[in-house]
């Protein structure tokens, strides 16, 4: 019997071990597959030596394509026709970024549960209920309707699939092995999904749920006072006094119901600072060369692999260099031999919620225009790894989807979504953004720039422009709904047709300026215009601080060079500190401070208001103002189960400087009556106590870089695949808008002229493979504020670039 038991053990243990090593448990990949020396992660370590010349036969090409890779592994694609240039772009982008492209589209489509299991179900449900796939399907219809964009997207898709089909399991990117899944066939809808995801990222959240709760609690007078329709301090993107040389369309009449709601006659039944960007262009009158210089640095969440992929595309009529979105054809931000262009977010109000009155709990009909109107239903099937599929029915009104009837409790991104309300969002519209970039990539002058913008829908962007003709311009561009003032500031009554979007602002009447007398154009997510612009775009934009600092520097700039612009991109001077710090210091009661607090006050008083890496004063000011703003507003605007938001930074600064006896400084939860002085002193003491508790005695460990802890995490937050902590300066609200993991995702400076010169860098590398020397090789250069030269090659043999590898693709 004992021998039989031993024999059983000898058989069962290897079986169980084999099962265990080939099975995925929780976050762990199947270890045997992962450690396999022939197909596992070992295969992802790239050789130090690089193959200099390779030839590929790909039947999807029409003619020979040459791709040369420079010393940073950036591909320069030379093709003889449009089809092949986008086919090759798809191929080489997949070669470097396949997992990133795949993962981002799974996220956008609400399909992560297929990879990671039940933990992602609520996230997937949110994406589906927001109409991400619905919007992508509509966009794709627009893209496929135009022969040029259809060719772009189909060729790009075929190139990606050619690379996928060439892979064996051992060649799968590392993350596929860690997460134990395989790449699937690429389809055109995935390209559209990437653009929809960018719309979602740049939508800046939705405040009408919070604002409606505020109106309900405080009434219209206080709401209007604390949340004004235009900031007290502003440097609008289109210069003050710009003439609007067009006859505006009639503005829709404000419904009586809205007027009554916001004037108190009846009871009505968070912008995140940092998600923004800078761009500016200066005319030849301000440069040493006599030609314009254009700069752009879009601020986004920083990740490895980088959100951007550098590439040059060359074909008849096309020779452009810049950054693309992995998964979408063309170049988004860049330059060619004649022009340069860049973008920042407009923050237009193109996402509204409508309160819906349903006939009954079946949700098959809703009340609209004094009659019952039928809804439609979209069935969403969520496939879940290791579990049964889940079905979810999304109800659609003519406004759009009803996102939630019952919200999940633990999904933070759903916090600002009202229940039972329908979503009207520009990202659901049929569109064709690809044509904008098709024409910009090939543009030669200002007229080409304006032609390209007409095709653009969303996300709305401030398109900046400069040309070798010495033209500069900026346009707040997108498809803007024609609205009455403040339409969408609060949740709208979905039964009243007057609350519908009433048409569109003509593209030619979007805010724009060309060659202004000040000889520069700029944007930093602040208000698009002054209050003379006849149309409503939004009631709130990003803070004015970065825009003011940029404009202050550009006004006095002379004989500018690429290097002076590069240095400006790393400027970390705080306009907020300039505005408010003297007032705070004057209210400190020095007699009640301990030794640490006195030293902190001394350091912040002598601080030069720049968020340099080693500045201790920066750390003190940052936490001091955050705590002070919390002290001012938290007692009034934080109520369980009633989501609200704080008044803006601009309104808070105005309160501190102009209304020091305001009732808002009193904490309603205490019997005493607090003053601004009380809050200033409490917040300073809190700041010192917090920093001391976390970093020890005041000293080197209080330096801003150590407190901020900037780093570049892996896209899926896989440990060990992100960057080291970068001990660098910059802060939200400064030109160098760097926080912990958000900041300049691409810095670019272009010198226009007879032969343009480009300079740029992003915090990462071209490769998405953590085992590649080109995975994060640009991070240190980016962190130091330096830029690489960008090689706009004229041919594969151009000696300006340091070529390290050549790839020739042919049909046979």
């Amino acid at each position: 019997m004992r021998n039989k038991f031993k024999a059983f053990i000898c058989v069962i243990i290897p079986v169980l071990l084999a099962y265990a090593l080939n099975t995925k448990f929780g976050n762990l990949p199947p270890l045997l597959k992962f450690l396999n020396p022939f197909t596992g992660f070992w295969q992802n370590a790239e050789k130090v030596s690089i193959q200099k010349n390779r030839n590929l036969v790909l039947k999807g090409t029409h003619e020979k394509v040459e791709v040369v890779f420079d010393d940073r592994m950036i591909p320069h694609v030379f093709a003889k026709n449009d089809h092949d240039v986008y086919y090759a772009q798809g191929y080489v982008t997949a070669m470097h970024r396949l997992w990133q492209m795949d993962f981002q589209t799974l996220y956008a489509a609400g399909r992560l549960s297929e990879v990671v299991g039940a933990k992602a179900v609520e996230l997937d449900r949110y994406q589906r209920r927001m109409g991400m796939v619905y919007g992508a399907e509509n966009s794709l219809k627009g893209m496929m309707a135009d022969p040029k964009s259809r060719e772009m997207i189909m060729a790009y898709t075929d190139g990606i699939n050619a690379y996928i089909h060439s892979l064996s399991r051992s060649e799968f990117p590392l993350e596929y092995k860690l997460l134990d899944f395989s790449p699937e066939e690429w389809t055109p809808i995935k390209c559209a999904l990437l653009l929809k995801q960018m719309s979602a990222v740049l939508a800046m959240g939705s405040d009408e749920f919070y604002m409606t709760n505020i109106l309900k609690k405080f009434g219209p007078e206080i709401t209007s006072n604390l949340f004004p329709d235009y900031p007290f301090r502003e440097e609008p993107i289109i210069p003050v006094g710009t003439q609007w040389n067009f006859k505006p369309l009639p503005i829709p009449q404000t419904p009586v119901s809205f007027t009554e709601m916001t004037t108190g006659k009846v009871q009505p039944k968070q912008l995140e600072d940092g998600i923004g960007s800078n761009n500016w262009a200066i005319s030849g009158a301000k440069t040493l060369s006599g030609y314009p210089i254009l700069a752009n640095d879009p601020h986004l969440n920083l990740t490895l692999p980088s959100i951007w992929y550098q590439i040059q595309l060359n074909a008849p009529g096309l020779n452009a260099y810049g950054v693309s979105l992995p998964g979408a054809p063309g170049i988004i931000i860049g330059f060619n031999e004649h022009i340069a262009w860049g973008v920042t977010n407009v923050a237009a109000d193109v996402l509204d919620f409508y309160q819906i009155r349903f006939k009954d709990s079946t949700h098959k009909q809703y009340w609209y225009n004094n009659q019952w109107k039928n809804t439609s239903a979209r069935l969403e099937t969520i496939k879940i790894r290791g579990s049964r599929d889940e079905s979810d029915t999304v109800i659609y009104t003519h406004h759009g989807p009803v996102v939630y009837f019952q919200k999940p409790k633990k999904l933070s991104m759903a916090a600002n979504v009202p229940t039972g309300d329908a979503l009207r969002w520009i990202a659901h519209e049929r569109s064709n953004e690809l044509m904008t970039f098709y024409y910009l990539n090939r543009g030669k002058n200002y007229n080409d720039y304006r032609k390209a913008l007409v095709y653009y829908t969303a996300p709305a962007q401030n398109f900046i422009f400069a040309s070798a003709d010495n033209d500069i311009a900026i346009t707040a561009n997108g498809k803007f709904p024609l609205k009455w003032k403040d339409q969408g500031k609060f949740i709208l009554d979905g039964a009243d047709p007057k609350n519908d979007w009433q048409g569109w602002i003509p593209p030619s009447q979007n805010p724009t300026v060309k060659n202004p007398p000040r000889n520069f154009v700029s944007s930093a997510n602040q208000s698009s215009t002054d209050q003379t612009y006849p149309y409503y775009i939004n009631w709130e934009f990003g803070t004015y601080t970065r825009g003011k600092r940029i404009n202050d520097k550009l006004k006095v700039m002379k004989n500018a060079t690429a290097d002076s612009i590069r240095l400006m991109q790393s400027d970390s001077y705080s306009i907020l500190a300039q505005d408010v710090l003297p007032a705070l210091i004057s209210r400190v009661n020095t007699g009640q401070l301990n030794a640490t607090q006195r030293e902190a006050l001394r350091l912040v008083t002598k601080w030069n208001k720049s968020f340099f890496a080693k500045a201790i004063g920066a750390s003190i000011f940052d936490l001091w103002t955050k705590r002070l703003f919390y002290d001012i507003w938290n007692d009034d605007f934080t109520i369980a189960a009633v989501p609200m938001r704080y008044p803006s930074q601009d309104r808070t600064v105005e309160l501190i400087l102009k209304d020091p006896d305001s009732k808002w400084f009193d904490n309603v939860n205490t019997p005493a009556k607090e003053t601004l002085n009380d809050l200033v002193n409490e917040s300073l003491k809190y700041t010192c106590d917090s920093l001391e508790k976390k970093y020890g005695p005041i000293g080197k460990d209080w330096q801003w870089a150590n407190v901020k802890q900037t780093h570049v995490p892996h896209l899926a937050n896989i440990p060990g695949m992100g960057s080291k902590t970068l001990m660098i300066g910059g802060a939200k609200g400064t030109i160098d808008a760097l926080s912990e993991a958000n900041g300049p995702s691409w810095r670019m400076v272009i010198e226009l002229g007879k032969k343009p010169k480009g300079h740029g860098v992003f915090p990462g590398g071209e490769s998405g493979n953590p085992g590649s020397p080109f995975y994060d090789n640009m991070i240190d250069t980016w962190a130091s504020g330096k830029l690489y030269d960008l090689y706009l090659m004229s041919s594969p043999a151009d000696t300006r670039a340091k070529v390290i590898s050549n790839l020739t693709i042919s049909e046979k």
Side-chain angles (χ1 to χ4, degrees):
M1 184 71 179
R2 183 178 293 175
N3 288 337
K4 286 184 179 179
F5 180 73
K6 283 183 178 179
F8 173 76
I9 291 295
C10 289
V11 171
I12 197 63
I13 285 180
V15 170
L16 290 173
L17 190 61
Y19 172 77
L21 290 174
N22 282 284
T23 303
K24 180 177 172 68
F25 294 101
N27 293 327
L28 292 174
L31 291 179
L32 197 63
K33 281 199 263 184
F34 185 65
L35 298 173
N36 186 309
F38 301 106
T39 61
F41 85 100
W42 310 100
Q43 294 294 317
N44 293 97
E46 292 186 2
K47 297 176 181 177
V48 176
S49 60
I50 296 165
Q51 189 175 347
K52 290 187 177 181
N53 294 291
R54 288 188 299 151
N55 293 285
L56 274 179
V57 175
L58 297 175
K59 293 183 179 179
T61 55
H62 294 171
E63 299 180 78
K64 187 173 80 169
V65 180
E66 292 187 69
V67 184
V68 297
F69 296 89
D70 66 27
D71 54 342
R72 296 187 298 280
M73 199 47 74
I74 296 163
H76 303 254
V77 178
F78 292 86
K80 296 176 181 177
N81 57 74
D82 280 0
H83 172 277
D84 287 353
V85 82
Y86 296 117
Y87 183 96
Q89 183 185 9
Y91 187 92
V92 296
T93 305
M95 186 170 73
H96 285 147
R97 301 290 188 86
L98 178 61
W99 175 82
Q100 175 191 13
M101 295 155 61
D102 201 1
F103 185 79
Q104 288 182 155
T105 53
L106 288 172
Y107 175 89
R111 294 181 53 202
L112 282 185
S113 298
E114 296 175 27
V115 176
V116 302
K119 70 177 80 171
V121 168
E122 288 303 340
L123 175 60
D124 285 349
R125 198 188 308 276
Y126 172 83
Q127 294 289 81
R128 310 261 186 128
R129 298 193 73 87
M130 285 291 288
M132 292 292 286
V133 178
Y134 168 73
E137 289 167 354
N138 287 335
S139 282
L140 186 61
K141 290 175 186 174
M143 295 174 189
M144 299 301 271
D146 187 290
K148 290 186 175 68
S149 53
R150 178 185 173 86
E151 182 178 47
M152 285 176 78
I153 204 166
M154 294 306 297
Y156 188 81
T157 295
D158 290 344
I160 294 169
N161 285 326
Y163 179 72
I164 292 173
H165 298 157
S166 75
L167 295 177
S168 64
R169 178 166 289 276
S170 67
E171 295 169 315
F172 285 178
L174 176 60
E175 290 90 345
Y176 285 110
K177 298 170 185 178
L178 278 169
L179 298 171
D180 189 33
F181 75 110
S182 302
E184 65 181 13
E185 188 93 353
W186 193 265
T187 56
I189 191 73
K190 289 175 177 274
C191 299
L193 275 165
L194 276 172
L195 296 173
K196 293 301 113 178
Q197 184 56 33
M198 188 59 74
S199 283
V201 168
L202 296 176
M204 306 283 283
S206 168
D207 277 356
E208 48 257 64
F209 183 32
Y210 302 151
M211 291 303 303
T212 301
N213 287 336
I214 290 165
L215 182 64
K216 208 168 169 183
K217 174 176 170 55
F218 294 105
E221 187 176 345
I222 288 175
T223 302
S224 177
N225 179 271
L226 292 183
F227 299 90
D229 289 339
Y230 202 80
F232 292 93
R233 294 162 188 77
E234 190 52 288
E235 291 262 343
I237 292 166
I238 307 303
V240 172
T242 298
Q243 298 298 305
W244 310 111
N245 297 317
F246 55 78
K247 183 180 179 181
L249 298 179
I251 306 302
Q253 188 174 0
T254 304
V256 173
S257 59
F258 181 84
T259 304
E260 290 176 342
M261 181 176 75
T262 54
T263 55
K265 293 184 180 176
V266 297
Q267 285 295 314
K269 292 225 171 185
Q270 169 119 301
L271 293 179
E272 183 183 343
D273 192 23
I275 299 182
S277 309
N278 306 316
N279 61 23
W280 62 86
I282 55 178
S283 77
K286 282 184 168 287
T287 67
L288 189 62
S289 68
Y291 287 98
I293 298 177
L294 180 144
N296 192 194
D297 54 302
H299 306 154
L300 296 163
N301 288 333
L302 307 178
T303 62
L304 286 173
S306 167
I307 189 173
W308 302 108
Y309 181 72
Q310 286 186 63
I311 195 165
Q312 179 183 351
L313 301 177
N314 184 293
L318 167 68
N319 189 27
Y321 184 113
V323 288
S324 64
L325 283 170
I331 289 169
I332 306 295
I333 301 170
F335 70 108
N336 61 31
E337 292 157 320
H338 309 283
I339 70 170
W341 67 93
V343 296
T344 66
N345 198 34
V346 171
D349 184 7
V350 290
L351 185 157
D352 292 334
F353 280 104
Y354 290 81
Q355 194 170 49
I356 303 299
R357 175 188 164 197
F358 289 99
K359 187 173 185 179
D360 53 42
S361 60
T362 65
H363 304 129
K364 290 183 178 179
Q365 289 187 310
Y366 65 104
W367 190 250
Y368 175 75
N369 198 17
N370 296 315
Q371 59 184 322
W372 295 109
K373 188 176 176 71
N374 291 334
T375 61
S376 61
R378 182 182 174 107
L379 182 65
E380 298 284 357
T381 301
I382 301 174
K383 297 182 181 298
I384 307 168
R385 184 173 192 155
S387 186
R388 278 190 277 181
D389 295 355
E390 285 193 17
S391 294
D392 192 23
T393 301
V394 184
I395 300 297
Y396 277 73
T397 68
H398 78 283
H399 301 293
V402 178
V403 183
Y404 284 118
F405 289 104
Q406 185 173 356
K407 283 198 293 190
K409 293 179 180 177
K410 295 183 178 179
L411 190 68
S412 60
M413 60 178 60
N416 62 347
V417 178
T419 55
D421 292 3
L423 170 67
R424 179 77 162 99
W425 186 21
I426 193 67
H428 294 156
E429 292 290 315
R430 177 168 169 160
S431 63
N432 188 3
E433 288 79 12
L434 290 184
M435 290 309 298
T436 293
F437 301 109
Y438 179 91
Y439 286 117
L440 281 176
N441 291 185
R442 293 162 173 77
K444 294 183 178 180
N445 52 44
Y446 174 80
N447 289 337
D448 290 344
Y449 156 76
R450 293 294 296 171
K451 174 185 175 181
L453 298 191
V454 172
Y455 293 89
Y456 194 82
T457 295
Q461 299 288 290
N462 297 301
F463 279 84
I464 202 158
F465 165 86
S467 74
D469 295 335
N470 234 323
D471 287 325
I472 59 172
I474 192 165
T475 305
N477 193 63
K479 192 174 183 180
F480 299 130
L482 187 61
K483 293 182 168 189
W484 36 267
K485 187 180 179 184
D486 285 345
Q487 184 178 352
K489 186 173 183 177
F490 308 99
I491 293 173
L492 296 159
D493 178 4
D496 188 347
K498 291 178 182 176
N499 289 326
D500 288 1
W501 292 359
Q502 303 295 320
W504 307 98
I505 298 174
S508 62
Q509 296 181 14
N510 286 347
T512 189
V513 66
K514 176 189 179 186
N515 298 332
R518 66 185 188 179
N519 289 312
F520 70 85
V521 289
S522 70
S523 73
N525 316 110
Q526 72 273 43
S527 300
S528 299
T529 69
D530 63 18
Q531 296 183 75
T532 65
Y533 183 64
Y535 299 113
Y536 172 78
I537 294 178
N538 204 348
W539 68 276
E540 186 176 43
F541 295 83
T543 57
Y544 92 118
T545 52
R546 279 184 292 116
K548 176 171 173 53
R549 180 61 174 169
I550 290 167
N551 291 352
D552 285 351
K553 292 185 75 67
L554 293 180
K555 284 172 188 173
V556 298
M557 186 172 285
K558 296 177 181 177
N559 297 321
T561 64
D563 204 49
S564 53
I565 297 300
R566 173 188 69 81
L567 291 170
M568 185 172 154
Q569 286 184 325
S570 296
D571 181 273
S572 63
Y573 181 82
S574 170
I575 293 293
L576 175 62
Q578 176 181 292
D579 286 346
V580 81
L581 184 57
L584 302 189
I585 291 171
S586 70
R587 294 181 179 276
V588 175
N589 187 340
T590 55
Q592 294 183 353
L593 303 182
N594 64 26
T596 296
Q597 293 158 5
R598 284 196 301 273
E599 176 62 7
L601 180 63
R602 185 187 71 82
L603 288 171
V604 80
T605 300
K606 68 176 229 177
W607 175 50
N608 66 1
K609 303 180 182 64
S610 288
F611 279 83
F612 294 149
K614 294 183 178 180
I616 295 174
S619 303
I620 297 165
F621 175 77
D622 182 68
L623 186 53
W624 189 7
T625 48
K626 284 176 180 173
R627 177 65 180 187
L628 176 60
F629 289 13
Y630 172 90
D631 283 349
I632 294 170
W633 301 119
N634 186 66
D635 58 314
D636 295 290
F637 287 87
T638 303
I639 299 174
V642 185
M644 293 186 283
R645 51 157 287 190
Y646 294 172
S648 69
Q649 181 188 106
D650 175 74
R651 185 67 185 90
T652 308
V653 170
E654 183 72 7
L655 200 72
I656 292 168
L657 299 182
K658 302 289 181 62
D659 195 7
D661 297 322
S662 170
K663 69 172 187 175
W664 298 107
F665 297 124
D666 177 41
N667 187 335
V668 297
N669 297 322
T670 68
K673 184 177 181 180
E674 288 81 9
T675 65
L676 175 57
N677 284 11
D678 293 330
L679 271 54
V680 166
N681 283 275
E682 187 282 333
S683 52
L684 177 61
K685 292 173 183 177
Y686 173 90
T687 295
C688 294
D689 291 347
S690 298
L691 291 171
E692 194 167 32
K693 185 175 180 180
K694 188 169 184 178
Y695 301 105
I698 191 167
K700 186 178 179 181
D701 287 347
W702 285 35
Q703 290 178 354
W704 175 237
N706 189 52
V707 171
K708 178 162 61 88
Q709 292 283 301
T710 294
H711 65 288
V712 185
H714 183 266
L715 178 62
N717 288 314
I718 296 175
M721 292 190 184
S723 77
K724 62 188 177 185
T725 299
L726 303 168
M727 305 303 284
I728 56 179
K732 291 181 179 181
T734 71
I735 296 177
D736 190 15
L738 263 168
S739 59
E740 183 181 2
N742 184 288
S745 59
W746 164 243
R747 287 195 185 108
M748 180 183 81
V749 175
I750 307 299
E751 301 174 83
L752 281 302
K754 293 179 180 178
K755 287 191 175 181
K757 295 177 183 176
H759 318 273
V761 70
F762 57 56
E766 283 291 272
S767 175
N769 177 12
S772 167
F774 300 102
Y775 177 66
D776 59 0
N777 58 305
M778 302 185 208
I779 285 184
D780 288 342
T781 298
W782 173 85
S784 68
K786 296 177 182 176
L787 304 175
Y788 294 105
D789 289 337
L790 309 178
Y791 309 123
L792 183 66
M793 300 172 66
S794 56
S795 72
D798 193 325
T799 57
R800 283 178 290 180
K802 300 171 184 175
V803 175
I804 59 172
S805 179
N806 292 273
L807 171 65
T808 301
I809 303 173
S810 56
E811 185 184 7
K812 53 187 176 180

